[in-house]
Amino acid sequence: MSEQPMILTPDQRLRVFVSSSMTELAAERAAVSAAVSRMRLVPVMFEQGARPHPPRDLYRAYLAQSQIFVGVYGESYGWTAPGADRSGLADEFDLARTLPRLIYVKEPSPGRDPRLERLLAAIRSTGHVTYRRFGTADELRAYVEEDLALLLSERFLPSPYVAWPEATGGVPVALTPLVGRADDLVAVEALLTDEHVPLVTLVGPGGIGKTRLAMASADRVAERFPDGARYVDLSTVSDPELVGEALARGLGVRTSGSVPPVADIASWLRSKRLLMVVDNFEQVTDAAPTVGQLLRAAPGLTALVTSRAPLRVAGEWVYAVPPLPTVADDQANSPAAQLFAQRARAVSASFTLTPANSAAVDEIARRLDGLPLAIELAAARTVLLPPAEILDRLGDRLGLLTTGARDVPDRHRTLRDTIAWSYHLLGADERDLFDRFAVFAGTCDLAAIEAVAGPRPDPFAGVEALVESSLLVQRPSPDGEARFAMLDTIRAFARERLRDSGDWPAVSAAHARHYLELTEEFAPRLNTSAAPRLLRRLELEHDNVVAAIDWFHAHDDPVAVLEIMWATWLFWWRSGHVEQGDRYMSQVLDRADLLDDVQIGMALMLAGGVALVSGQSERAERMLEPALPRLRASGNGPLAALAAVTIAQLALEHGDEQRADRYLRECGELAAGAGDGWEASLFYSRLALIALRRGRLGDARDNLRAARERSGTDQLAMVVAEYLSAICAVAEGRLDETRRHLLDGLSVTVAAGDEGGLGTFLAAVADLDTRTGDLERAVRLAAAAQALHTPSNEMWMRGFVSPWPVTGLDADTVRARLGPATYDAAWQTGARLSMADAAADAFGSSPEAA
């Protein structure tokens, strides 16, 4: 029969035997007792004993039941029993030889008994004894607490009847190759091997691959740590108070429950050079100071932590884990597509990337933002669906991606659960703000977030929490403004939440109103010196402006759409979104029944202008003709005059002189009301353009003078007037005046950051240079102009100016005069010039050769 196990008492705390002189060191004994009790251990002291027993039997029995010996000595050698040759203090020390012994000696002690001095000398020569000198009771108490904490973690094993989990012994080994993380591995490895970096935190949303990167990084550097690497998984820990216990289990540190686990861990780590990998810290971030405490206690410790938010402790270096690249540097498939193929082969051995499915796989990876978990879940569907059909179903990506490997954490079994796991760690206000962020498309700024944030007084704290939770990503803008974005996969989850809450209509309406107000705020400055910054900003806001337009259109509000389009018409023309602008204006006109006559006139005018710059001259006429009477009736003289002169110009281009003259007469009637703004400047420039085409150079010159006088600070009006003035001057042979107008216009295009306009002016200056003899500069500027030329770059100018009348030397003649080598060198230099350098060259400064 097996031996019956010992029945343990409910309190299995360790016992600390305290040996000292009772009379001389009463204060010190009290300090030791308090230290032992503070460590949640049991102090065993002679004065607590039962008097009927002889003193020697008593302390022997107490020592037999104790696990730690503490000796405190001052001047007295202690009580010596009758007939004995040594004191109880000396006997207790000898009897405790099987126990860990902590010795504390009070100094100074000028009256120390010589016998005690000899005992202490013998103790100092004994191995495996902790020997300290102290001065006061308080100092002694601190020493005892510190030494007990160290001793508990290093020397004591738990009861043999308590089952303790084994230490991992290292970092888990991944079963699949790591794809697309070469650069990340190099970066993380550099941090982990930097002696000045004690803590590296890998941050990112659920499913981004933090754990996988951490394991691979630890594997690469483990040999550089003499004590290896340990892995601690906190995914099942929800209470910050339990983090110390979890760390101890993962590290293999035995704890007794008598002291806080962190004390045991700190003592265990103090002499080690070790890498500690702590996974899934996001749900217990309140325990972050624990990591800081361990790093301070153990200078040889390096911690690698994965979390959706930084720990915010001293010494932390944060590495944001990016999605996998969805574009390859060469003809190979992108890393994200390679991961899809790898995981697809794992579930279907016959799967291969082929020319037939490669495009679909690339698009799946792109649509899933390069998020590894989402890609793996999508690849798992190849058991049932080919990539093309998976792609077709990604509109409901959260519903489609619902299976995964059985041995992955529950929170990673579905994409929805992965995001939900992080989402439910947020506070109520933060969750509400997260939901509301679903209305944004692309990036946004804090002002936009405030507009949809609801009644909360300051959403900044919520934004900060979402960024730290990796549910929002902060992205820089060209102007240094903080902007925020949400991965589409995460946004899909937020959209579900917002729709389910019933707040979608109100939040979307607030979003649309904000962008309507933003565009109206930009309108007065959009074609001034502020244009470059505002056009860049509108490009950043493009997706949100489009979302606002779509919202207003879906809710039968063409007036709001018209207001946005009218405020930003230059953006659509100058930023290459002409076709999109044309489509939106068609939508507005399709709901003309909801517009009044003035609004219809403005809509037709704007639609006609969009058609004009996109080369649809017939459609432009169809829009402008019905716009004219409405604008005239509304008293909008400047726009009516501009509409009339544009119709006249189009009629002339179509060879309808009679119709052109009819509208020109109307222009004469409207001229008095044309005003002095950009509309009036463009009106006179168009009159000059018609005069140029009819060979009336004097009329053209007069009208261009009026156009320049009325252009003010409007960049479009200035550019058109200067370019047409240069055409007029070159036609009259006034080359110096021609160059002056070209350089004035070129200055405006540079200030506006207008590549298309710059290319147009550079080409004209190059032609002029072939006539004045500077052939090498002519070649450089022609090459620079060609480099800037794209179909959309110069599209916006087509409706305002006529082509430059080339009158200089042709390229073959210039090449022959310069010689092939000089010509080719000049062309190569010009093709590499920046906008600023090309403009400087045109003004006569030497260009910087690349």
mmCIF file with all atom_site columns, all heavy atoms in Angstrom, residues 468-482:
data_model
loop_
_atom_site.group_PDB
_atom_site.id
_atom_site.type_symbol
_atom_site.label_atom_id
_atom_site.label_alt_id
_atom_site.label_comp_id
_atom_site.label_asym_id
_atom_site.label_entity_id
_atom_site.label_seq_id
_atom_site.pdbx_PDB_ins_code
_atom_site.Cartn_x
_atom_site.Cartn_y
_atom_site.Cartn_z
_atom_site.occupancy
_atom_site.B_iso_or_equiv
_atom_site.pdbx_formal_charge
_atom_site.auth_seq_id
_atom_site.auth_comp_id
_atom_site.auth_asym_id
_atom_site.auth_atom_id
_atom_site.pdbx_PDB_model_num
ATOM 1   N N   . GLU A 1 468 ? -2.910 54.069 -29.555 1.00 0.00 ? 468 GLU A N   1
ATOM 2   C CA  . GLU A 1 468 ? -2.098 53.174 -28.740 1.00 0.00 ? 468 GLU A CA  1
ATOM 3   C C   . GLU A 1 468 ? -2.595 51.738 -28.816 1.00 0.00 ? 468 GLU A C   1
ATOM 4   O O   . GLU A 1 468 ? -1.826 50.799 -28.633 1.00 0.00 ? 468 GLU A O   1
ATOM 5   C CB  . GLU A 1 468 ? -2.082 53.643 -27.282 1.00 0.00 ? 468 GLU A CB  1
ATOM 6   C CG  . GLU A 1 468 ? -1.297 54.930 -27.074 1.00 0.00 ? 468 GLU A CG  1
ATOM 7   C CD  . GLU A 1 468 ? -1.078 55.240 -25.611 1.00 0.00 ? 468 GLU A CD  1
ATOM 8   O OE1 . GLU A 1 468 ? -1.735 54.586 -24.779 1.00 0.00 ? 468 GLU A OE1 1
ATOM 9   O OE2 . GLU A 1 468 ? -0.248 56.109 -25.312 1.00 0.00 ? 468 GLU A OE2 1
ATOM 10  N N   . SER A 1 469 ? -3.879 51.575 -29.109 1.00 0.00 ? 469 SER A N   1
ATOM 11  C CA  . SER A 1 469 ? -4.449 50.241 -29.238 1.00 0.00 ? 469 SER A CA  1
ATOM 12  C C   . SER A 1 469 ? -4.242 49.664 -30.628 1.00 0.00 ? 469 SER A C   1
ATOM 13  O O   . SER A 1 469 ? -4.687 48.560 -30.912 1.00 0.00 ? 469 SER A O   1
ATOM 14  C CB  . SER A 1 469 ? -5.958 50.285 -28.929 1.00 0.00 ? 469 SER A CB  1
ATOM 15  O OG  . SER A 1 469 ? -6.182 50.771 -27.640 1.00 0.00 ? 469 SER A OG  1
ATOM 16  N N   . SER A 1 470 ? -3.586 50.435 -31.494 1.00 0.00 ? 470 SER A N   1
ATOM 17  C CA  . SER A 1 470 ? -3.328 50.031 -32.881 1.00 0.00 ? 470 SER A CA  1
ATOM 18  C C   . SER A 1 470 ? -4.608 49.861 -33.685 1.00 0.00 ? 470 SER A C   1
ATOM 19  O O   . SER A 1 470 ? -4.601 49.231 -34.736 1.00 0.00 ? 470 SER A O   1
ATOM 20  C CB  . SER A 1 470 ? -2.514 48.729 -32.922 1.00 0.00 ? 470 SER A CB  1
ATOM 21  O OG  . SER A 1 470 ? -1.269 48.894 -32.305 1.00 0.00 ? 470 SER A OG  1
ATOM 22  N N   . LEU A 1 471 ? -5.706 50.407 -33.203 1.00 0.00 ? 471 LEU A N   1
ATOM 23  C CA  . LEU A 1 471 ? -6.944 50.403 -33.979 1.00 0.00 ? 471 LEU A CA  1
ATOM 24  C C   . LEU A 1 471 ? -7.009 51.615 -34.888 1.00 0.00 ? 471 LEU A C   1
ATOM 25  O O   . LEU A 1 471 ? -7.787 51.640 -35.844 1.00 0.00 ? 471 LEU A O   1
ATOM 26  C CB  . LEU A 1 471 ? -8.150 50.362 -33.035 1.00 0.00 ? 471 LEU A CB  1
ATOM 27  C CG  . LEU A 1 471 ? -8.264 49.065 -32.234 1.00 0.00 ? 471 LEU A CG  1
ATOM 28  C CD1 . LEU A 1 471 ? -9.327 49.194 -31.143 1.00 0.00 ? 471 LEU A CD1 1
ATOM 29  C CD2 . LEU A 1 471 ? -8.579 47.886 -33.138 1.00 0.00 ? 471 LEU A CD2 1
ATOM 30  N N   . LEU A 1 472 ? -6.223 52.621 -34.583 1.00 0.00 ? 472 LEU A N   1
ATOM 31  C CA  . LEU A 1 472 ? -5.998 53.752 -35.476 1.00 0.00 ? 472 LEU A CA  1
ATOM 32  C C   . LEU A 1 472 ? -4.513 53.834 -35.770 1.00 0.00 ? 472 LEU A C   1
ATOM 33  O O   . LEU A 1 472 ? -3.698 53.478 -34.932 1.00 0.00 ? 472 LEU A O   1
ATOM 34  C CB  . LEU A 1 472 ? -6.442 55.079 -34.833 1.00 0.00 ? 472 LEU A CB  1
ATOM 35  C CG  . LEU A 1 472 ? -7.914 55.468 -34.844 1.00 0.00 ? 472 LEU A CG  1
ATOM 36  C CD1 . LEU A 1 472 ? -8.061 56.880 -34.305 1.00 0.00 ? 472 LEU A CD1 1
ATOM 37  C CD2 . LEU A 1 472 ? -8.508 55.373 -36.216 1.00 0.00 ? 472 LEU A CD2 1
ATOM 38  N N   . VAL A 1 473 ? -4.196 54.318 -36.943 1.00 0.00 ? 473 VAL A N   1
ATOM 39  C CA  . VAL A 1 473 ? -2.802 54.511 -37.329 1.00 0.00 ? 473 VAL A CA  1
ATOM 40  C C   . VAL A 1 473 ? -2.584 56.002 -37.561 1.00 0.00 ? 473 VAL A C   1
ATOM 41  O O   . VAL A 1 473 ? -3.363 56.645 -38.266 1.00 0.00 ? 473 VAL A O   1
ATOM 42  C CB  . VAL A 1 473 ? -2.460 53.732 -38.613 1.00 0.00 ? 473 VAL A CB  1
ATOM 43  C CG1 . VAL A 1 473 ? -1.015 53.968 -39.014 1.00 0.00 ? 473 VAL A CG1 1
ATOM 44  C CG2 . VAL A 1 473 ? -2.728 52.243 -38.416 1.00 0.00 ? 473 VAL A CG2 1
ATOM 45  N N   . GLN A 1 474 ? -1.548 56.550 -36.954 1.00 0.00 ? 474 GLN A N   1
ATOM 46  C CA  . GLN A 1 474 ? -1.205 57.943 -37.200 1.00 0.00 ? 474 GLN A CA  1
ATOM 47  C C   . GLN A 1 474 ? -0.262 58.012 -38.386 1.00 0.00 ? 474 GLN A C   1
ATOM 48  O O   . GLN A 1 474 ? 0.737  57.297 -38.442 1.00 0.00 ? 474 GLN A O   1
ATOM 49  C CB  . GLN A 1 474 ? -0.538 58.569 -35.972 1.00 0.00 ? 474 GLN A CB  1
ATOM 50  C CG  . GLN A 1 474 ? -0.270 60.060 -36.131 1.00 0.00 ? 474 GLN A CG  1
ATOM 51  C CD  . GLN A 1 474 ? 0.234  60.708 -34.861 1.00 0.00 ? 474 GLN A CD  1
ATOM 52  O OE1 . GLN A 1 474 ? 0.312  60.055 -33.834 1.00 0.00 ? 474 GLN A OE1 1
ATOM 53  N NE2 . GLN A 1 474 ? 0.578  61.956 -34.932 1.00 0.00 ? 474 GLN A NE2 1
ATOM 54  N N   . ARG A 1 475 ? -0.595 58.875 -39.339 1.00 0.00 ? 475 ARG A N   1
ATOM 55  C CA  . ARG A 1 475 ? 0.211  58.996 -40.548 1.00 0.00 ? 475 ARG A CA  1
ATOM 56  C C   . ARG A 1 475 ? 0.607  60.450 -40.762 1.00 0.00 ? 475 ARG A C   1
ATOM 57  O O   . ARG A 1 475 ? -0.199 61.350 -40.562 1.00 0.00 ? 475 ARG A O   1
ATOM 58  C CB  . ARG A 1 475 ? -0.573 58.488 -41.764 1.00 0.00 ? 475 ARG A CB  1
ATOM 59  C CG  . ARG A 1 475 ? -0.820 56.980 -41.721 1.00 0.00 ? 475 ARG A CG  1
ATOM 60  C CD  . ARG A 1 475 ? -1.580 56.498 -42.919 1.00 0.00 ? 475 ARG A CD  1
ATOM 61  N NE  . ARG A 1 475 ? -1.740 55.052 -42.894 1.00 0.00 ? 475 ARG A NE  1
ATOM 62  C CZ  . ARG A 1 475 ? -2.549 54.392 -43.698 1.00 0.00 ? 475 ARG A CZ  1
ATOM 63  N NH1 . ARG A 1 475 ? -3.257 55.037 -44.596 1.00 0.00 ? 475 ARG A NH1 1
ATOM 64  N NH2 . ARG A 1 475 ? -2.633 53.081 -43.623 1.00 0.00 ? 475 ARG A NH2 1
ATOM 65  N N   . PRO A 1 476 ? 1.839  60.666 -41.185 1.00 0.00 ? 476 PRO A N   1
ATOM 66  C CA  . PRO A 1 476 ? 2.275  62.052 -41.418 1.00 0.00 ? 476 PRO A CA  1
ATOM 67  C C   . PRO A 1 476 ? 1.668  62.602 -42.692 1.00 0.00 ? 476 PRO A C   1
ATOM 68  O O   . PRO A 1 476 ? 1.289  61.859 -43.603 1.00 0.00 ? 476 PRO A O   1
ATOM 69  C CB  . PRO A 1 476 ? 3.792  61.909 -41.557 1.00 0.00 ? 476 PRO A CB  1
ATOM 70  C CG  . PRO A 1 476 ? 3.984  60.514 -42.068 1.00 0.00 ? 476 PRO A CG  1
ATOM 71  C CD  . PRO A 1 476 ? 2.889  59.689 -41.439 1.00 0.00 ? 476 PRO A CD  1
ATOM 72  N N   . SER A 1 477 ? 1.553  63.921 -42.765 1.00 0.00 ? 477 SER A N   1
ATOM 73  C CA  . SER A 1 477 ? 1.090  64.586 -43.978 1.00 0.00 ? 477 SER A CA  1
ATOM 74  C C   . SER A 1 477 ? 2.216  65.458 -44.504 1.00 0.00 ? 477 SER A C   1
ATOM 75  O O   . SER A 1 477 ? 3.161  65.763 -43.775 1.00 0.00 ? 477 SER A O   1
ATOM 76  C CB  . SER A 1 477 ? -0.140 65.452 -43.676 1.00 0.00 ? 477 SER A CB  1
ATOM 77  O OG  . SER A 1 477 ? 0.230  66.598 -42.937 1.00 0.00 ? 477 SER A OG  1
ATOM 78  N N   . PRO A 1 478 ? 2.152  65.869 -45.761 1.00 0.00 ? 478 PRO A N   1
ATOM 79  C CA  . PRO A 1 478 ? 3.226  66.704 -46.313 1.00 0.00 ? 478 PRO A CA  1
ATOM 80  C C   . PRO A 1 478 ? 3.455  67.998 -45.538 1.00 0.00 ? 478 PRO A C   1
ATOM 81  O O   . PRO A 1 478 ? 4.564  68.526 -45.532 1.00 0.00 ? 478 PRO A O   1
ATOM 82  C CB  . PRO A 1 478 ? 2.732  66.996 -47.736 1.00 0.00 ? 478 PRO A CB  1
ATOM 83  C CG  . PRO A 1 478 ? 1.812  65.874 -48.061 1.00 0.00 ? 478 PRO A CG  1
ATOM 84  C CD  . PRO A 1 478 ? 1.150  65.514 -46.768 1.00 0.00 ? 478 PRO A CD  1
ATOM 85  N N   . ASP A 1 479 ? 2.410  68.502 -44.899 1.00 0.00 ? 479 ASP A N   1
ATOM 86  C CA  . ASP A 1 479 ? 2.545  69.756 -44.161 1.00 0.00 ? 479 ASP A CA  1
ATOM 87  C C   . ASP A 1 479 ? 2.782  69.529 -42.670 1.00 0.00 ? 479 ASP A C   1
ATOM 88  O O   . ASP A 1 479 ? 2.684  70.467 -41.877 1.00 0.00 ? 479 ASP A O   1
ATOM 89  C CB  . ASP A 1 479 ? 1.294  70.611 -44.371 1.00 0.00 ? 479 ASP A CB  1
ATOM 90  C CG  . ASP A 1 479 ? 1.136  71.023 -45.825 1.00 0.00 ? 479 ASP A CG  1
ATOM 91  O OD1 . ASP A 1 479 ? 2.141  71.426 -46.426 1.00 0.00 ? 479 ASP A OD1 1
ATOM 92  O OD2 . ASP A 1 479 ? 0.020  70.916 -46.362 1.00 0.00 ? 479 ASP A OD2 1
ATOM 93  N N   . GLY A 1 480 ? 3.063  68.301 -42.292 1.00 0.00 ? 480 GLY A N   1
ATOM 94  C CA  . GLY A 1 480 ? 3.376  68.012 -40.898 1.00 0.00 ? 480 GLY A CA  1
ATOM 95  C C   . GLY A 1 480 ? 2.169  67.904 -39.989 1.00 0.00 ? 480 GLY A C   1
ATOM 96  O O   . GLY A 1 480 ? 2.316  67.816 -38.773 1.00 0.00 ? 480 GLY A O   1
ATOM 97  N N   . GLU A 1 481 ? 0.982  67.894 -40.547 1.00 0.00 ? 481 GLU A N   1
ATOM 98  C CA  . GLU A 1 481 ? -0.236 67.816 -39.745 1.00 0.00 ? 481 GLU A CA  1
ATOM 99  C C   . GLU A 1 481 ? -0.511 66.362 -39.357 1.00 0.00 ? 481 GLU A C   1
ATOM 100 O O   . GLU A 1 481 ? -0.316 65.446 -40.151 1.00 0.00 ? 481 GLU A O   1
ATOM 101 C CB  . GLU A 1 481 ? -1.406 68.360 -40.568 1.00 0.00 ? 481 GLU A CB  1
ATOM 102 C CG  . GLU A 1 481 ? -2.752 68.269 -39.875 1.00 0.00 ? 481 GLU A CG  1
ATOM 103 C CD  . GLU A 1 481 ? -3.882 68.614 -40.836 1.00 0.00 ? 481 GLU A CD  1
ATOM 104 O OE1 . GLU A 1 481 ? -3.907 68.052 -41.944 1.00 0.00 ? 481 GLU A OE1 1
ATOM 105 O OE2 . GLU A 1 481 ? -4.704 69.461 -40.486 1.00 0.00 ? 481 GLU A OE2 1
ATOM 106 N N   . ALA A 1 482 ? -0.947 66.168 -38.123 1.00 0.00 ? 482 ALA A N   1
ATOM 107 C CA  . ALA A 1 482 ? -1.274 64.821 -37.672 1.00 0.00 ? 482 ALA A CA  1
ATOM 108 C C   . ALA A 1 482 ? -2.545 64.339 -38.360 1.00 0.00 ? 482 ALA A C   1
ATOM 109 O O   . ALA A 1 482 ? -3.570 65.029 -38.351 1.00 0.00 ? 482 ALA A O   1
ATOM 110 C CB  . ALA A 1 482 ? -1.459 64.803 -36.160 1.00 0.00 ? 482 ALA A CB  1
#
